[in-house]
Amino acid sequence: MSYEIVTLPAYRTVGLKWVGTFSEIVPNLKNVIQQVKDCADEVGNKINPHVLLGLSYHVIENGFVHYSVYQVSEEQEIPDGMIELRVPEWTYVKTTHCKGEDVQKTYTDLHQWLFNSDYTAYKEAGVVYYDLNMPIKHEHYPVDHDPNHPHFDIYIPIVKK
C-alpha cells in the first residue's frame, strides 16, 4: 500500500445523512447510498460528478454518522429531503482500497501506518468519538463502482503527533 499526505481545501457537499449501528449497516446504509445515486440528477452543480463521497464520523456507540454526498458548488440549492454538510480544510493521509482486496485488511494496514508514522488521527475539540484510531473516515467512490467488489480512495484527517 502507498500512503500520501494531502491537504484538501474546505468544501461543500449535498446528499443524505444516515445514523446507525454497525448491525444496521445492511441494508439500511446501502439503501441510503442508492437513494443518493438515484437522485444524482437533482444535484446539478457537482464539482466532480464521477465521485460519490462517504463521510463517516464515529460519534455514536457501536456505530457512526454517515453522509452519502456529492461535492457541490456554492450555487447548488439543497434538493428537498437532502442536507448540506461543509467539510473544513484538513490534512489527510490518503490511500486506495483496490478492487478484490479485503477492506478490513486495508484499514488494518492504514491503522498500522498511522501508528508508526509522525501523525495521529484528527479529533474535533469537544466531540466524543467511539473509534479513537480513525474517528473520521472519508471514502471517495467512483459512482459506477461495484458495491460487491468496491474500490475507493480513503482519506483520514490527521495531525502531527
Side-chain angles (χ1 to χ4, degrees), residues 15-30:
L16 295 177
K17 176 182 179 180
W18 177 83
V19 179
T21 63
F22 294 114
S23 64
E24 297 171 321
I25 291 174
V26 177
N28 299 324
L29 179 55
K30 289 186 178 193

Side-chain angles (χ1 to χ4, degrees), residues 42-132:
E42 296 178 41
V43 183
N45 292 311
K46 294 188 263 320
I47 301 296
N48 188 347
H50 304 292
V51 176
L52 179 64
L53 307 176
L55 312 179
S56 297
Y57 300 82
H58 295 264
V59 293
I60 65 169
E61 195 166 2
N62 297 315
F64 55 100
V65 175
H66 180 88
Y67 298 89
S68 184
V69 294
Y70 289 102
Q71 184 179 352
V72 296
S73 69
E74 290 298 324
E75 293 75 33
Q76 175 65 48
E77 292 185 18
I78 303 169
D80 287 343
M82 291 192 176
I83 56 94
E84 171 189 56
L85 176 70
R86 291 186 179 268
V87 178
E89 177 179 290
W90 281 334
T91 298
Y92 300 83
V93 57
K94 175 190 174 193
T95 192
T96 299
H97 171 73
C98 297
K99 186 184 287 192
E101 293 182 359
D102 178 28
V103 174
Q104 186 171 347
K105 181 176 181 341
T106 299
Y107 272 106
T108 298
D109 291 349
L110 178 52
H111 175 259
Q112 190 62 49
W113 182 89
L114 268 172
F115 182 77
N116 293 328
S117 76
D118 294 334
Y119 299 93
T120 188
Y122 171 76
K123 297 168 194 72
E124 293 179 275
V127 176
V128 175
Y129 293 100
Y130 291 90
D131 178 344
L132 299 179

